[in-house]
Amino acid sequence: MRVRTYEIGDTQQIVKLFYDTVHEVNIRDYTKAQVDAWAPADIDIESWTKSLSSKFTFVAEEGEKIAGFGELEASGHIDRFYCHQDFQRQGVGRLILKQIESKAKDLGINKLFTEASITARPFFETQGFIVIRKQEVERRGQKFINFAMEKIYKQRFV
């Protein structure tokens, strides 16, 4: 397994990974209507390409298969962070987060923050993130529970 930076040619596989993960993994914590709103069948590949390219996006791959990806913004915000359903609980998320933390250190960022789903919350907690607040957000007419979480790095990132 290796982690590398995103390349435009990854977009199709990343979009499929996102859709499949939400529909196969997150469905345990959300309703069908919610996952359909979260990851609709008609995802705009061009807007994803622009979004993935505009951030520090890291991709974990096993051979030719993308096992997960995560995005870091210059503010320290971790936006999308997903692991393929076949690679859950195998250390993929930790590898991606390690790259995000390394990049944050290089950028002088001392706080990472995210909005974690019910499904992702335990992962982020095991990585040292704390819940700041539970929140309700809306997407395409559906309301979702997620958690604003953060991890502050003391001296290490200074």
Side-chain angles (χ1 to χ4, degrees):
M1 177 88 47
R2 75 178 187 121
V3 179
R4 59 171 175 77
T5 56
Y6 161 80
E7 298 166 2
I8 288 175
D10 298 329
T11 307
Q12 289 278 8
Q13 205 176 150
I14 285 174
V15 167
K16 180 169 176 19
L17 182 155
F18 165 73
Y19 179 88
D20 291 347
T21 301
V22 171
H23 285 266
E24 300 296 328
V25 177
N26 297 99
I27 191 72
R28 287 179 263 164
D29 299 306
Y30 296 92
T31 67
K32 172 100 168 76
Q34 287 172 320
V35 298
D36 286 345
W38 182 351
D42 62 342
I43 293 173
D44 181 354
I45 300 292
E46 188 176 317
S47 71
W48 269 68
T49 301
K50 286 179 186 171
S51 177
L52 291 162
S53 298
S54 72
K55 300 170 186 161
F56 301 102
T57 303
F58 297 96
V59 174
E61 66 181 357
E62 182 69 49
E64 298 295 310
K65 189 170 191 173
I66 293 178
F69 73 99
E71 302 171 321
L72 173 66
E73 297 172 345
S75 64
H77 181 241
I78 297 173
D79 193 3
R80 294 178 285 218
F81 192 102
Y82 292 89
C83 292
H84 190 283
Q85 63 184 359
D86 295 342
F87 291 91
Q88 297 283 312
R89 301 188 181 282
Q90 295 180 33
V92 174
R94 283 192 309 276
L95 289 173
I96 296 167
L97 185 59
K98 185 176 178 184
Q99 285 297 313
I100 286 174
E101 288 175 329
S102 178
K103 185 63 176 180
K105 180 180 179 182
D106 292 347
L107 296 171
I109 296 168
N110 66 358
K111 179 176 85 170
L112 294 178
F113 61 100
T114 193
E115 296 76 37
S117 66
I118 295 167
T119 316
R121 176 184 171 179
F123 165 77
F124 283 104
E125 286 177 330
T126 65
Q127 302 307 306
F129 283 73
I130 58 166
V131 173
I132 302 304
R133 71 185 163 281
K134 180 179 178 181
Q135 53 192 18
E136 186 176 75
V137 296
E138 187 173 327
R139 184 171 292 155
R140 295 182 186 87
Q142 290 292 313
K143 292 186 189 248
F144 298 81
I145 296 295
N146 72 15
F147 300 90
M149 300 183 77
E150 69 179 27
K151 181 176 181 180
I152 297 174
Y153 300 84
K154 305 253 191 281
Q155 303 298 319
R156 200 174 102 199
F157 278 28
V158 174

